[in-house]
Amino acid sequence: MIKPVLRMGDPRLWLPSRPVTSFATPELHALVADMEETMRHLDGAGLAAPQIGVDLRVVIFGVDHNPRYPDAESVPWTVLINPQLTPLSSKKVGGWEGCLSIPGLRGWVPRWCDLRYTGLDAFGRPIDRTVSGFHARVVQHECDHLDGILYPMRIEEFTRFGFVDTLFTKEANDVVD
Ligand code: NI
């Protein structure tokens, strides 16, 4: 079922979420199905459970070809539960991010370049991946939601935060770059 996505300002988005303790349950599968349907309906690259008002440590993500991210590398479709993120170097890289909870805006966000992440899928099977680039960015963005962090809280250059239709005009790029 497509669920309403909470928007920035809703206090539920600032709360840390709870670990999942039961796997392969009808309730967990229903949550993941609702998240997937909601994300695909909105052409998102990912979604975290708190964005639909569920305070559990569940994120989904995946990018095939996405009109909201036309230049993005593809990212495998993933259901990631109780994630643990470990940066593999101190190197960070900036990139544009949006969020379904902050419609119409984009910000330039520094993220760890090289990342290992572990967790479980909805059946309780382990996931252990070493990633970089856009895949690493998406994971960090989604997992931040589980700790009540939205991407504007990571922005360091506020001249690179604004409305999509204003930021990405030619004149705006001339000023920003
Ligand atoms: Ni988001």
Side-chain angles (χ1 to χ4, degrees), residues 63-146:
V63 179
D64 186 7
H65 179 76
N66 187 321
R68 290 181 70 233
Y69 298 91
D71 302 322
E73 308 147 35
S74 67
V75 177
W77 166 249
T78 303
V79 176
L80 180 64
I81 301 176
N82 299 349
Q84 299 279 347
L85 274 53
T86 310
L88 298 177
S89 78
S90 58
K91 193 175 158 209
K92 288 189 172 183
V93 64
W96 290 107
E97 294 186 17
C99 181
L100 296 176
S101 295
I102 315 171
L105 285 94
R106 292 282 187 281
W108 183 259
V109 183
R111 298 284 187 186
W112 303 112
C113 279
D114 302 298
L115 185 76
R116 178 183 178 202
Y117 68 89
T118 60
L120 300 166
D121 72 10
F123 296 91
R125 296 175 298 210
I127 294 168
D128 186 340
R129 290 181 183 154
T130 297
V131 299
S132 59
F134 187 66
H135 188 158
R137 174 170 301 280
V138 169
V139 175
Q140 289 170 83
H141 175 113
E142 297 311 329
C143 292
D144 263 356
H145 280 292
L146 306 180

Side-chain angles (χ1 to χ4, degrees), residues 2-3 34-44 100:
I2 295 170
K3 299 287 187 179
D34 286 348
M35 289 173 66
E36 179 176 357
E37 202 173 340
T38 302
M39 183 188 111
R40 292 193 189 282
H41 175 68
L42 297 170
D43 287 325
L100 296 176

